[in-house]
Amino acid sequence: MPLRWLILLLIVLAGPVRADGALTIWVGSGRDAAALAQIAGDYARATGIAVTVTAMDPLPERFRAAAQQGEAPDIILISHDQMGRLAAEGLIAPVNPSDMWTAGILPRAMDALAFDGSTWGYPVAVEALHLIYNRALIAHPPTSFEDIPALPLPHGNRRILWDYTNPYFTLPMLMAGGGYAFEKVGGVYDAGHTGIATDGAIAGAAVLQSLITDQFLPADITYQVMDDAMNAGRVGMVINGSWAWANLTISGVDFGVAPIPSVAGHPSPAVITVQALAISSASANRELAANFIENGLTSDAALAAWNAGGSLGALADMTAGQAQTDPHIAALLDIAATGVPLPNNAEMPLFWAAMRAALTDIGLGMVSPADALNAAAARITRDSAVAQPG
């Protein structure tokens, strides 16, 4: 029996950590629940502690409903930007990862899980927005948005596409000059103030509007249109995430991974999201769940087995798995190392709604970038104040 599982078994035998001596885990359907179930089965055979793995979509909503009925799982794998609301509602518990466990984790990933004075989960995988370019059309991707109009490309192909009205994809170019959604001060997001209308953010929005006005980016672009064009080899580059790689490989596109272009000489920081394991506050066996995560589920061998099909992408544990040798993943991790974790405070839905409206107006040329972003900032601040308890 491996030493780490022997330690867990001794913990279980030492005291009543759960009445039924079992653990339950929920993951999204795209996270290879079958591979995770095999790992859980190995653990159960070694320790006698059963672990049930269930694929559940949409996971945040199903978890919230189950928690309200007293039927929540012990552990969930969830994007860190969903954790702020779950923590505010008291549905997930703070965790205390050991120094030995955190030593090999990408620092930016740990930062994403720390807010309100606590750590709220165990980082498993990192996703970072980046430029995906078609090597058959572009040998060297541009380093700045300003260079895109002059980029030579075969006739009939677009230079760049992205779903710009989705603020998630446009946020990097707004952050290049110093814009931000909510500032994190002392481990707490200041929901009463947004920096999305700073001079730097307005400069980024002006570059966006010029690309649309000069017809380098269609005003009516959607994610599906962008994705279809990239898979068909009709666009030189897109702004997207690692979830797009599998279809590109199937489509036979020889693609590269690069940082998002800069704005006015300022780097566009990647937006980082972290897939992390959180523990339900209603779990009767939090200690067992934490030890299972640290010593069994996230060992190098277990992570490599879980990620064998690529369902987790770039692992947050820098020593785990042979997948880290993939050149695409290596490039993504370099990008993520200097990126900015997506804020995960409960007010983020208000930010998304206001910014989608602002970016739509900018793309249609209805208002100036300054007017659109100032209006969005005022709406975000107002709605955040209304949402505050009491």
Side-chain angles (χ1 to χ4, degrees):
M1 178 184 298
L3 178 60
R4 63 180 181 274
W5 287 346
L6 177 59
I7 293 172
L8 286 175
L9 183 58
L10 291 174
I11 290 171
V12 174
L13 296 176
V17 292
R18 182 182 177 93
D20 58 9
L23 287 168
T24 55
I25 305 176
W26 285 5
V27 298
S29 59
R31 298 299 176 181
D32 204 342
L36 179 56
Q38 291 182 355
I39 297 167
D42 292 340
Y43 168 78
R45 285 185 288 274
T47 64
I49 302 165
V51 182
T52 300
V53 179
T54 303
M56 193 70 68
D57 289 316
L59 200 153
E61 291 80 358
R62 297 291 293 274
F63 174 74
R64 183 174 288 106
Q68 293 170 352
Q69 298 172 11
E71 299 174 353
D74 298 288
I75 302 168
I76 56 171
L77 178 73
I78 194 169
S79 177
H80 87 275
D81 60 298
Q82 301 281 350
M83 289 185 171
R85 183 178 173 189
L86 295 179
E89 294 172 352
L91 300 182
I92 58 174
V95 298
N96 187 29
S98 67
D99 292 341
M100 183 178 297
W101 191 87
T102 59
I105 303 298
L106 189 72
R108 284 287 198 275
M110 288 305 307
D111 291 345
L113 277 297
F115 58 93
D116 291 346
S118 298
T119 299
W120 296 89
Y122 291 85
V124 172
V126 179
E127 295 169 344
L129 283 181
H130 53 279
L131 196 69
I132 303 176
Y133 65 98
N134 186 334
R135 293 182 185 275
L137 299 177
I138 297 177
H140 303 287
T143 58
S144 72
F145 276 103
E146 292 85 352
D147 290 340
I148 291 175
L151 188 70
L153 217 65
H155 180 71
N157 294 282
R158 286 277 185 184
R159 291 172 173 81
I160 190 169
L161 293 174
W162 81 92
D163 185 10
Y164 76 89
T165 62
N166 184 335
Y168 174 69
F169 294 103
T170 301
L171 196 52
M173 71 185 306
L174 304 183
M175 294 193 298
Y180 55 90
F182 296 104
E183 189 175 15
K184 197 174 185 180
V185 180
V188 178
Y189 285 102
D190 180 5
H193 175 73
T194 177
I196 206 57
T198 62
D199 290 343
I202 293 171
V207 172
L208 167 65
Q209 192 173 64
S210 69
L211 288 173
I212 297 170
T213 300
D214 295 337
Q215 299 184 0
F216 292 104
L217 183 67
D220 59 351
I221 187 68
T222 66
Y223 182 92
Q224 192 60 57
V225 169
M226 171 204 70
D227 196 46
D228 290 346
M230 188 64 184
N231 278 276
R234 299 195 307 270
V235 59
M237 51 194 170
V238 297
I239 297 174
N240 211 340
S242 55
W243 51 84
W245 297 353
N247 281 342
L248 290 173
T249 299
I250 294 171
S251 299
V253 176
D254 179 15
F255 67 95
V257 171
I260 295 172
S262 64
V263 175
H266 301 292
S268 299
V271 174
I272 300 173
T273 53
V274 179
Q275 291 295 322
L277 293 161
I279 298 176
S280 169
S281 58
S283 173
N285 56 345
R286 296 185 206 171
E287 184 178 354
L288 176 59
N291 278 279
F292 168 57
I293 290 171
E294 287 201 26
N295 299 302
L297 184 54
T298 57
S299 68
D300 284 5
L303 283 174
W306 189 3
N307 198 34
S311 64
L312 299 177
L315 298 172
D317 185 337
M318 302 297 289
T319 67
Q322 293 301 313
Q324 303 265 11
T325 63
D326 183 309
H328 294 141
I329 288 181
L332 185 145
L333 287 172
D334 285 343
I335 293 168
T338 58
V340 176
L342 193 66
N344 53 2
N345 50 308
E347 293 79 14
M348 277 303 289
L350 306 176
F351 174 84
W352 296 133
M355 283 303 299
R356 182 177 285 277
L359 292 171
T360 299
D361 289 346
I362 289 171
L364 295 175
M366 297 176 64
V367 295
S368 70
D371 287 346
L373 294 186
N374 276 300
R379 176 180 168 183
I380 293 164
T381 302
R382 181 197 68 220
D383 291 351
S384 296
V386 171
Q388 293 298 312

